[in-house]
Amino acid sequence: MKAEAFLPDDYVPADSEPFMNEKQVEYFRRKLMNWRNEILEDSRDTIEAMKDGTRNIPDVADRASEETDRSLELRTRDRERKLVAKIDSALRRIEEGEFGYCSVTGDPISLKRLDARPIATMSLEAQERHERREKIHRND
């Protein structure tokens, strides 16, 4: 594993620098790691709250409301679990030197897109084509 590149706190990737240079790669690696850590911390908090929150509520409406809240929380955590897998995949792509490039065309993914969605695997154009094809086939 390579040593971390120096990265100023106010660094923002710019189109004027070489694509996926050391600073950009480190910026996205840190962004992904921070996002992953936040999700895992939220999950730990949810587990602790559910352990502590187990109680017998006599009122049927209150019990139903609490069950609905728990169900929603568990669905959210399941979506986040899937998101962690995508973050891990993006981190692997960083290690393999494939991060930032479209899996369909091989072209660079725009820095704006990567900053907004660092787990992106396709350029905006390839993603739009993919979604159009999906919509067409779904309507058949």
Side-chain angles (χ1 to χ4, degrees):
M1 188 170 187
K2 292 191 293 189
E4 292 181 9
F6 171 73
L7 199 61
D9 291 338
D10 60 347
Y11 175 78
V12 177
D15 289 327
S16 61
E17 49 190 0
F19 188 71
M20 286 300 125
N21 63 55
E22 278 187 31
K23 285 184 178 179
Q24 288 181 357
V25 169
E26 182 61 19
Y27 172 85
F28 287 112
R29 189 188 70 74
R30 288 183 188 181
K31 184 173 187 125
L32 287 160
M33 289 299 298
N34 290 337
W35 192 13
R36 184 180 192 281
N37 291 337
E38 285 174 19
I39 292 170
L40 294 176
E41 183 64 32
D42 287 348
S43 292
R44 281 189 288 276
D45 292 347
T46 297
I47 290 168
E48 288 303 313
M50 287 187 155
K51 283 181 185 175
D52 295 342
T54 302
R55 57 187 182 191
N56 190 8
I57 302 171
D59 184 64
V60 176
D62 289 344
R63 192 173 334 136
S65 178
E66 181 150 322
E67 287 298 318
T68 300
D69 291 347
R70 279 179 177 242
S71 177
L72 181 61
E73 186 71 25
L74 289 172
R75 278 196 311 256
T76 299
R77 294 298 159 232
D78 187 51
R79 279 195 302 274
E80 288 180 344
R81 179 187 56 79
K82 292 172 184 171
L83 183 56
V84 167
K86 289 180 180 183
I87 292 170
D88 288 342
S89 176
L91 289 167
R92 271 192 304 282
R93 287 193 308 278
I94 285 175
E95 292 301 317
E96 296 166 358
E98 297 171 1
F99 182 81
Y101 296 92
C102 180
S103 62
V104 176
T105 65
D107 295 334
I109 299 172
S110 76
L111 291 173
K112 282 184 178 181
R113 176 163 170 75
L114 287 172
D115 205 28
R117 187 151 178 86
I119 58 173
T121 58
M122 289 187 251
S123 66
L124 188 58
E125 297 78 18
Q127 183 70 40
E128 287 172 345
R129 280 193 305 271
H130 173 75
E131 289 173 4
R132 275 195 301 275
R133 276 193 303 266
E134 230 176 35
K135 185 176 180 183
I136 290 170
H137 293 292
R138 199 177 17 219
N139 291 336
D140 287 348

